[in-house]
Amino acid sequence: MRNPQLTKDIIIKESADLFNTKGYKATSLSDITTATGFTKGAIYKHFKNKEDLEQQALRSLSKRMFDILNIDLKNASDFTSKMNVIFNFFENYLDNPPYSGGCPLMNSACESDDLDAGLRQQSFGMLVTFKTTIKRIFDKALKNNQIKSSVDSDQLTAVYIATLEGAIMMSKLERNNDALVKSISYLKTVNSDLLLN
């Protein structure tokens, strides 16, 4: 007899990789049954519909990303080391990705629209978590007098995320890490300029 939670976990993991690689709308239920080895009935026993599965799959990709980041962030002691955790995650992104298909935030954001409110909401939630993670690093550094008091944490959070996500897109299209390496190098220079002497 199958374990219902294990079955659901397998469906989510396999579907998440499919959605992130092939696209949410381009992935058919037949693709999912082939990848998981489960029937449509078994899939619909655990999920209301394909949209429900898409949202739970994206949530699992988001959890995977932030679990990796949070473990390393807890072990980082100051502003520079915490930001290096973020940079290292992205530097390793193309060569050793934590999931197939590229950045799930970018992939889902590009594919979601107002007609798919559920997927858009999950994408937005992932963005909010990412923004909160980065902003918390800036705010804690400000509180601990590690960076200049003139730093606008909201502005820099937006710039850093836009730069990193844009660099992933460029590197993926160009099939090399140049854009990502250059962008991270630039952000590290910005970080150095923010530090109090």
Side-chain angles (χ1 to χ4, degrees):
M1 192 165 178
R2 290 192 190 273
N3 177 328
Q5 187 58 51
L6 181 60
T7 299
K8 184 174 183 178
D9 291 344
I10 291 168
I11 294 169
I12 288 174
K13 184 184 181 317
E14 295 298 327
S15 298
D17 289 340
L18 273 174
F19 291 140
N20 204 47
T21 304
K22 191 172 179 179
Y24 288 84
K25 300 312 166 204
T27 300
S28 68
L29 204 54
S30 295
D31 294 328
I32 296 167
T33 59
T34 301
T36 61
F38 297 120
T39 64
K40 289 182 182 181
I43 291 168
Y44 282 130
K45 182 178 179 182
H46 296 280
F47 305 94
K48 291 181 229 168
N49 49 40
K50 186 174 170 241
E51 288 72 26
D52 180 33
L53 177 53
E54 288 173 357
Q55 291 167 40
Q56 291 195 46
L58 180 56
R59 206 163 30 238
S60 78
L61 289 170
S62 176
K63 183 179 184 318
R64 212 181 305 174
M65 174 179 172
F66 292 110
D67 282 351
I68 294 167
L69 281 173
N70 288 332
I71 287 169
D72 291 335
L73 284 171
K74 280 181 186 174
N75 296 322
S77 58
D78 59 15
F79 172 72
T80 300
S81 59
K82 285 182 184 297
M83 289 308 298
N84 282 337
V85 166
I86 304 293
F87 296 147
N88 289 339
F89 179 85
F90 281 89
E91 281 174 333
N92 294 326
Y93 210 94
L94 295 180
D95 294 329
N96 188 25
Y99 22 62
S100 304
C103 178
L105 174 57
M106 182 176 295
N107 291 345
S108 62
C110 289
E111 207 171 328
S112 64
D113 56 31
D114 291 337
L115 297 176
D116 190 346
L119 185 61
R120 184 186 179 285
Q121 189 60 40
Q122 287 302 318
S123 298
F124 179 70
M126 190 174 186
L127 175 61
V128 168
T129 302
F130 194 18
K131 285 174 69 176
T132 301
T133 300
I134 302 285
K135 187 175 184 312
R136 190 177 293 135
I137 295 170
F138 282 119
D139 288 343
K140 188 167 185 182
L142 281 166
K143 182 180 176 185
N144 294 335
N145 296 315
Q146 294 173 349
I147 57 177
K148 296 173 182 172
S149 59
S150 59
V151 166
D152 182 335
S153 61
D154 288 318
Q155 181 185 54
L156 284 180
T157 295
V159 169
Y160 275 47
I161 291 174
T163 301
L164 292 167
E165 290 293 332
I168 286 178
M169 178 269 297
M170 290 176 66
S171 289
K172 197 169 175 191
L173 285 175
E174 293 171 347
R175 296 180 189 264
N176 62 56
N177 289 356
D178 287 354
L180 198 51
V181 168
K182 288 174 183 172
S183 295
I184 289 173
S185 175
Y186 174 75
L187 292 177
K188 284 181 176 179
T189 302
V190 172
N191 271 4
S192 294
D193 292 342
L194 298 178
L195 294 172
L196 284 172
N197 295 327

